Short mmCIF file of all heavy atoms in Angstrom, two decimals:
data_model
loop_
_atom_site.label_atom_id
_atom_site.label_comp_id
_atom_site.label_asym_id
_atom_site.label_seq_id
_atom_site.Cartn_x
_atom_site.Cartn_y
_atom_site.Cartn_z
N SER A 21 -9.83 -27.67 -12.38
CA SER A 21 -9.06 -28.21 -11.27
C SER A 21 -10.01 -28.37 -10.08
O SER A 21 -11.13 -27.87 -10.10
CB SER A 21 -7.88 -27.32 -10.91
OG SER A 21 -8.32 -26.02 -10.58
N ALA A 22 -9.57 -29.08 -9.05
CA ALA A 22 -10.42 -29.33 -7.89
C ALA A 22 -9.56 -29.55 -6.67
O ALA A 22 -8.36 -29.87 -6.76
CB ALA A 22 -11.34 -30.53 -8.14
N ALA A 23 -10.17 -29.41 -5.48
CA ALA A 23 -9.47 -29.61 -4.22
C ALA A 23 -10.49 -30.04 -3.16
O ALA A 23 -11.66 -29.67 -3.24
CB ALA A 23 -8.76 -28.33 -3.77
N THR A 24 -10.03 -30.82 -2.19
CA THR A 24 -10.93 -31.22 -1.10
C THR A 24 -10.13 -31.49 0.17
O THR A 24 -8.94 -31.85 0.10
CB THR A 24 -11.78 -32.44 -1.50
OG1 THR A 24 -12.88 -32.57 -0.62
CG2 THR A 24 -10.96 -33.73 -1.47
N LEU A 25 -10.79 -31.34 1.30
CA LEU A 25 -10.17 -31.59 2.61
C LEU A 25 -10.12 -33.08 2.88
O LEU A 25 -11.08 -33.81 2.63
CB LEU A 25 -10.99 -30.89 3.69
CG LEU A 25 -10.56 -31.14 5.15
CD1 LEU A 25 -9.24 -30.47 5.46
CD2 LEU A 25 -11.66 -30.67 6.10
N LEU A 26 -8.99 -33.55 3.41
CA LEU A 26 -8.82 -34.95 3.78
C LEU A 26 -8.98 -35.12 5.30
O LEU A 26 -8.83 -34.15 6.06
CB LEU A 26 -7.44 -35.46 3.35
CG LEU A 26 -7.20 -35.50 1.84
CD1 LEU A 26 -5.77 -35.99 1.56
CD2 LEU A 26 -8.22 -36.38 1.13
N PRO A 27 -9.24 -36.34 5.78
CA PRO A 27 -9.45 -36.56 7.21
C PRO A 27 -8.25 -36.23 8.09
O PRO A 27 -8.42 -36.02 9.29
CB PRO A 27 -9.78 -38.07 7.28
CG PRO A 27 -10.33 -38.40 5.94
CD PRO A 27 -9.55 -37.55 4.98
N ASP A 28 -7.05 -36.17 7.53
CA ASP A 28 -5.87 -35.85 8.34
C ASP A 28 -5.55 -34.36 8.32
O ASP A 28 -4.53 -33.94 8.86
CB ASP A 28 -4.66 -36.66 7.88
CG ASP A 28 -4.31 -36.45 6.40
OD1 ASP A 28 -4.86 -35.50 5.79
OD2 ASP A 28 -3.49 -37.21 5.87
N GLY A 29 -6.42 -33.54 7.70
CA GLY A 29 -6.21 -32.10 7.69
C GLY A 29 -5.47 -31.57 6.49
O GLY A 29 -5.36 -30.35 6.33
N ARG A 30 -4.98 -32.45 5.62
CA ARG A 30 -4.36 -31.99 4.38
C ARG A 30 -5.43 -31.61 3.36
O ARG A 30 -6.59 -31.98 3.49
CB ARG A 30 -3.47 -33.09 3.78
CG ARG A 30 -2.23 -33.44 4.59
CD ARG A 30 -1.47 -34.59 3.91
NE ARG A 30 -2.30 -35.79 3.81
CZ ARG A 30 -2.07 -36.78 2.95
NH1 ARG A 30 -1.06 -36.71 2.11
NH2 ARG A 30 -2.85 -37.85 2.93
N ILE A 31 -5.00 -30.90 2.32
CA ILE A 31 -5.85 -30.59 1.18
C ILE A 31 -5.30 -31.34 -0.02
O ILE A 31 -4.13 -31.19 -0.37
CB ILE A 31 -5.87 -29.08 0.86
CG1 ILE A 31 -6.20 -28.26 2.12
CG2 ILE A 31 -6.86 -28.80 -0.26
CD1 ILE A 31 -7.57 -28.50 2.68
N VAL A 32 -6.12 -32.18 -0.66
CA VAL A 32 -5.67 -32.83 -1.89
C VAL A 32 -6.11 -31.97 -3.06
O VAL A 32 -7.24 -31.46 -3.11
CB VAL A 32 -6.22 -34.27 -2.00
CG1 VAL A 32 -7.73 -34.31 -2.12
CG2 VAL A 32 -5.58 -35.00 -3.20
N VAL A 33 -5.19 -31.75 -4.01
CA VAL A 33 -5.40 -30.83 -5.13
C VAL A 33 -5.02 -31.55 -6.42
O VAL A 33 -3.99 -32.22 -6.50
CB VAL A 33 -4.54 -29.56 -4.96
CG1 VAL A 33 -4.83 -28.58 -6.09
CG2 VAL A 33 -4.80 -28.90 -3.61
N GLY A 34 -5.87 -31.41 -7.44
CA GLY A 34 -5.57 -32.05 -8.72
C GLY A 34 -6.25 -31.33 -9.86
O GLY A 34 -7.01 -30.38 -9.69
N GLY A 35 -5.97 -31.81 -11.06
CA GLY A 35 -6.63 -31.30 -12.24
C GLY A 35 -6.01 -30.06 -12.83
O GLY A 35 -4.95 -29.60 -12.42
N SER A 36 -6.67 -29.51 -13.81
CA SER A 36 -6.35 -28.31 -14.61
C SER A 36 -6.22 -28.74 -16.07
O SER A 36 -5.26 -29.39 -16.46
CB SER A 36 -5.06 -27.61 -14.17
OG SER A 36 -4.94 -26.38 -14.89
N ASN A 37 -7.25 -28.41 -16.82
CA ASN A 37 -7.23 -28.68 -18.26
C ASN A 37 -8.03 -27.61 -18.98
O ASN A 37 -9.25 -27.74 -19.14
CB ASN A 37 -7.82 -30.06 -18.57
CG ASN A 37 -7.70 -30.40 -20.05
OD1 ASN A 37 -6.87 -29.84 -20.74
ND2 ASN A 37 -8.55 -31.29 -20.53
N PRO A 38 -7.37 -26.55 -19.43
CA PRO A 38 -8.08 -25.48 -20.13
C PRO A 38 -8.25 -25.74 -21.62
O PRO A 38 -8.50 -24.81 -22.38
CB PRO A 38 -7.17 -24.27 -19.89
CG PRO A 38 -5.80 -24.84 -19.77
CD PRO A 38 -5.97 -26.20 -19.16
N HIS A 39 -8.14 -27.03 -22.03
CA HIS A 39 -8.22 -27.39 -23.44
C HIS A 39 -9.37 -28.35 -23.67
O HIS A 39 -9.77 -29.10 -22.77
CB HIS A 39 -6.91 -28.02 -23.91
CG HIS A 39 -5.70 -27.32 -23.41
ND1 HIS A 39 -5.36 -26.04 -23.80
CD2 HIS A 39 -4.77 -27.69 -22.50
CE1 HIS A 39 -4.26 -25.66 -23.16
NE2 HIS A 39 -3.88 -26.65 -22.37
N ILE A 40 -9.89 -28.38 -24.90
CA ILE A 40 -11.02 -29.25 -25.22
C ILE A 40 -10.61 -30.71 -25.08
O ILE A 40 -11.39 -31.55 -24.64
CB ILE A 40 -11.53 -28.95 -26.65
CG1 ILE A 40 -12.14 -27.54 -26.68
CG2 ILE A 40 -12.55 -29.98 -27.09
CD1 ILE A 40 -12.62 -27.12 -28.05
N ARG A 41 -9.38 -31.03 -25.43
CA ARG A 41 -8.85 -32.38 -25.25
C ARG A 41 -7.62 -32.32 -24.36
O ARG A 41 -7.15 -31.25 -24.02
CB ARG A 41 -8.51 -33.00 -26.61
CG ARG A 41 -9.73 -33.15 -27.53
CD ARG A 41 -9.34 -33.80 -28.86
NE ARG A 41 -10.48 -33.88 -29.74
CZ ARG A 41 -11.38 -34.86 -29.77
NH1 ARG A 41 -11.23 -35.88 -28.92
NH2 ARG A 41 -12.37 -34.87 -30.61
N TYR A 42 -7.10 -33.49 -24.00
CA TYR A 42 -5.84 -33.51 -23.28
C TYR A 42 -4.76 -32.95 -24.22
O TYR A 42 -4.62 -33.38 -25.36
CB TYR A 42 -5.47 -34.94 -22.89
CG TYR A 42 -6.18 -35.46 -21.66
CD1 TYR A 42 -5.92 -36.74 -21.18
CD2 TYR A 42 -7.09 -34.68 -20.96
CE1 TYR A 42 -6.55 -37.24 -20.04
CE2 TYR A 42 -7.72 -35.16 -19.84
CZ TYR A 42 -7.46 -36.45 -19.38
OH TYR A 42 -8.09 -36.92 -18.25
N ASN A 43 -3.98 -32.00 -23.71
CA ASN A 43 -2.96 -31.35 -24.51
C ASN A 43 -1.75 -31.10 -23.62
O ASN A 43 -1.81 -30.31 -22.66
CB ASN A 43 -3.51 -30.03 -25.07
CG ASN A 43 -2.68 -29.54 -26.24
OD1 ASN A 43 -1.52 -29.90 -26.39
ND2 ASN A 43 -3.26 -28.66 -27.05
N PHE A 44 -0.64 -31.77 -23.91
CA PHE A 44 0.54 -31.72 -23.04
C PHE A 44 1.72 -30.95 -23.66
O PHE A 44 2.69 -30.67 -22.96
CB PHE A 44 1.02 -33.15 -22.73
CG PHE A 44 -0.05 -33.99 -22.10
CD1 PHE A 44 -0.73 -34.94 -22.85
CD2 PHE A 44 -0.39 -33.85 -20.77
CE1 PHE A 44 -1.71 -35.73 -22.29
CE2 PHE A 44 -1.37 -34.63 -20.18
CZ PHE A 44 -2.04 -35.58 -20.95
N THR A 45 1.63 -30.61 -24.92
CA THR A 45 2.76 -29.95 -25.58
C THR A 45 2.29 -28.77 -26.41
O THR A 45 1.16 -28.74 -26.89
CB THR A 45 3.52 -30.94 -26.50
OG1 THR A 45 2.63 -31.43 -27.49
CG2 THR A 45 4.08 -32.10 -25.69
N GLY A 46 3.18 -27.79 -26.57
CA GLY A 46 2.92 -26.68 -27.44
C GLY A 46 1.87 -25.72 -26.94
O GLY A 46 1.35 -24.90 -27.72
N VAL A 47 1.55 -25.78 -25.66
CA VAL A 47 0.56 -24.87 -25.08
C VAL A 47 1.15 -24.24 -23.81
O VAL A 47 2.05 -24.80 -23.18
CB VAL A 47 -0.76 -25.59 -24.74
CG1 VAL A 47 -1.50 -25.99 -26.00
CG2 VAL A 47 -0.52 -26.80 -23.85
N GLN A 48 0.63 -23.10 -23.43
CA GLN A 48 1.15 -22.39 -22.27
C GLN A 48 0.84 -23.11 -20.96
O GLN A 48 1.66 -23.15 -20.04
CB GLN A 48 0.58 -20.97 -22.22
CG GLN A 48 1.24 -20.07 -21.19
CD GLN A 48 0.76 -18.64 -21.31
OE1 GLN A 48 -0.18 -18.33 -22.05
NE2 GLN A 48 1.41 -17.74 -20.59
N TYR A 49 -0.35 -23.71 -20.89
CA TYR A 49 -0.78 -24.40 -19.67
C TYR A 49 -1.22 -25.82 -20.03
O TYR A 49 -2.39 -26.06 -20.33
CB TYR A 49 -1.91 -23.62 -18.99
CG TYR A 49 -1.56 -22.18 -18.73
CD1 TYR A 49 -2.18 -21.16 -19.43
CD2 TYR A 49 -0.57 -21.85 -17.80
CE1 TYR A 49 -1.85 -19.83 -19.21
CE2 TYR A 49 -0.22 -20.52 -17.58
CZ TYR A 49 -0.87 -19.52 -18.29
OH TYR A 49 -0.52 -18.21 -18.06
N PRO A 50 -0.28 -26.78 -20.02
CA PRO A 50 -0.62 -28.15 -20.41
C PRO A 50 -1.66 -28.78 -19.48
O PRO A 50 -1.82 -28.38 -18.33
CB PRO A 50 0.73 -28.88 -20.29
CG PRO A 50 1.76 -27.81 -20.33
CD PRO A 50 1.13 -26.61 -19.68
N THR A 51 -2.34 -29.76 -20.02
CA THR A 51 -3.25 -30.56 -19.20
C THR A 51 -2.48 -31.19 -18.04
O THR A 51 -1.37 -31.69 -18.23
CB THR A 51 -3.90 -31.67 -20.05
OG1 THR A 51 -4.62 -31.07 -21.11
CG2 THR A 51 -4.82 -32.54 -19.22
N GLU A 52 -3.05 -31.15 -16.86
CA GLU A 52 -2.35 -31.58 -15.65
C GLU A 52 -3.01 -32.84 -15.09
O GLU A 52 -4.19 -32.84 -14.75
CB GLU A 52 -2.37 -30.46 -14.60
CG GLU A 52 -1.50 -30.71 -13.41
CD GLU A 52 -0.05 -30.97 -13.79
OE1 GLU A 52 0.57 -30.07 -14.40
OE2 GLU A 52 0.44 -32.07 -13.49
N LEU A 53 -2.22 -33.90 -14.99
CA LEU A 53 -2.70 -35.19 -14.48
C LEU A 53 -2.20 -35.51 -13.08
O LEU A 53 -2.52 -36.58 -12.54
CB LEU A 53 -2.29 -36.33 -15.43
CG LEU A 53 -2.71 -36.19 -16.90
CD1 LEU A 53 -2.26 -37.43 -17.68
CD2 LEU A 53 -4.20 -35.98 -17.04
N SER A 54 -1.43 -34.61 -12.49
CA SER A 54 -0.82 -34.90 -11.20
C SER A 54 -1.79 -34.69 -10.06
O SER A 54 -2.86 -34.08 -10.19
CB SER A 54 0.41 -34.02 -10.99
OG SER A 54 0.01 -32.65 -10.87
N LEU A 55 -1.41 -35.21 -8.90
CA LEU A 55 -2.17 -35.05 -7.66
C LEU A 55 -1.19 -34.60 -6.58
O LEU A 55 -0.13 -35.22 -6.38
CB LEU A 55 -2.82 -36.39 -7.27
CG LEU A 55 -4.05 -36.33 -6.38
CD1 LEU A 55 -5.21 -35.63 -7.08
CD2 LEU A 55 -4.47 -37.76 -5.99
N GLU A 56 -1.55 -33.49 -5.90
CA GLU A 56 -0.72 -32.94 -4.84
C GLU A 56 -1.49 -32.94 -3.52
O GLU A 56 -2.72 -33.02 -3.50
CB GLU A 56 -0.34 -31.50 -5.14
CG GLU A 56 0.58 -31.25 -6.29
CD GLU A 56 0.80 -29.75 -6.45
OE1 GLU A 56 -0.12 -29.06 -6.94
OE2 GLU A 56 1.90 -29.28 -6.07
N ALA A 57 -0.74 -32.78 -2.44
CA ALA A 57 -1.34 -32.50 -1.14
C ALA A 57 -0.71 -31.25 -0.58
O ALA A 57 0.52 -31.08 -0.64
CB ALA A 57 -1.15 -33.66 -0.17
N PHE A 58 -1.53 -30.35 -0.05
CA PHE A 58 -1.02 -29.17 0.65
C PHE A 58 -1.22 -29.37 2.14
O PHE A 58 -2.32 -29.70 2.60
CB PHE A 58 -1.74 -27.91 0.20
CG PHE A 58 -1.23 -26.66 0.89
CD1 PHE A 58 0.04 -26.20 0.62
CD2 PHE A 58 -2.02 -25.98 1.80
CE1 PHE A 58 0.55 -25.06 1.25
CE2 PHE A 58 -1.53 -24.85 2.44
CZ PHE A 58 -0.25 -24.39 2.16
N ARG A 59 -0.13 -29.21 2.87
CA ARG A 59 -0.17 -29.31 4.33
C ARG A 59 -0.23 -27.89 4.90
O ARG A 59 0.76 -27.15 4.82
CB ARG A 59 1.09 -30.02 4.84
CG ARG A 59 1.19 -31.48 4.43
CD ARG A 59 2.55 -32.09 4.79
NE ARG A 59 2.83 -32.00 6.20
CZ ARG A 59 2.48 -32.91 7.11
NH1 ARG A 59 1.83 -34.00 6.71
NH2 ARG A 59 2.78 -32.76 8.37
N PRO A 60 -1.37 -27.48 5.44
CA PRO A 60 -1.48 -26.15 6.02
C PRO A 60 -0.50 -25.96 7.18
O PRO A 60 0.05 -26.95 7.71
CB PRO A 60 -2.93 -26.08 6.50
CG PRO A 60 -3.65 -27.10 5.68
CD PRO A 60 -2.66 -28.20 5.47
N PRO A 61 -0.26 -24.72 7.59
CA PRO A 61 0.71 -24.47 8.66
C PRO A 61 0.45 -25.25 9.94
O PRO A 61 1.40 -25.58 10.67
CB PRO A 61 0.58 -22.96 8.89
CG PRO A 61 0.15 -22.42 7.56
CD PRO A 61 -0.74 -23.45 6.98
N TYR A 62 -0.80 -25.60 10.25
CA TYR A 62 -1.05 -26.33 11.49
C TYR A 62 -0.48 -27.74 11.49
O TYR A 62 -0.41 -28.39 12.53
CB TYR A 62 -2.55 -26.35 11.84
CG TYR A 62 -3.50 -26.87 10.79
CD1 TYR A 62 -3.42 -28.17 10.30
CD2 TYR A 62 -4.54 -26.07 10.31
CE1 TYR A 62 -4.31 -28.66 9.36
CE2 TYR A 62 -5.44 -26.54 9.36
CZ TYR A 62 -5.33 -27.83 8.89
OH TYR A 62 -6.23 -28.31 7.97
N LEU A 63 -0.07 -28.24 10.32
CA LEU A 63 0.55 -29.57 10.26
C LEU A 63 2.07 -29.52 10.34
O LEU A 63 2.73 -30.54 10.15
CB LEU A 63 0.13 -30.29 8.97
CG LEU A 63 -1.33 -30.74 8.91
CD1 LEU A 63 -1.65 -31.37 7.57
CD2 LEU A 63 -1.65 -31.72 10.04
N ALA A 64 2.64 -28.37 10.65
CA ALA A 64 4.09 -28.26 10.80
C ALA A 64 4.58 -29.12 11.95
O ALA A 64 3.90 -29.26 12.97
CB ALA A 64 4.48 -26.80 11.03
N PRO A 65 5.76 -29.71 11.82
CA PRO A 65 6.26 -30.62 12.87
C PRO A 65 6.36 -29.98 14.25
O PRO A 65 6.18 -30.67 15.26
CB PRO A 65 7.65 -31.01 12.35
CG PRO A 65 7.57 -30.85 10.88
CD PRO A 65 6.66 -29.68 10.66
N GLU A 66 6.64 -28.67 14.31
CA GLU A 66 6.80 -28.05 15.63
C GLU A 66 5.50 -27.97 16.42
O GLU A 66 5.51 -27.62 17.59
CB GLU A 66 7.43 -26.65 15.51
CG GLU A 66 6.60 -25.67 14.71
CD GLU A 66 7.10 -25.53 13.29
OE1 GLU A 66 7.51 -26.56 12.71
OE2 GLU A 66 7.08 -24.41 12.75
N HIS A 67 4.36 -28.29 15.77
CA HIS A 67 3.09 -28.29 16.47
C HIS A 67 2.66 -29.69 16.88
O HIS A 67 1.56 -29.88 17.41
CB HIS A 67 2.00 -27.69 15.59
CG HIS A 67 2.32 -26.34 15.05
ND1 HIS A 67 3.00 -25.40 15.79
CD2 HIS A 67 2.07 -25.77 13.84
CE1 HIS A 67 3.15 -24.31 15.06
NE2 HIS A 67 2.60 -24.51 13.88
#
């Protein structure tokens, strides 16, 4: 998996594949193709 800081202060997070190939079924931790953003507390609307 990987993560990096974006210019607006968010963190973009993606990846996770503990398998030799892409594996989406029948495993405890499937291969992950999604992309998320984490907004740290300083990006809360009240600030």
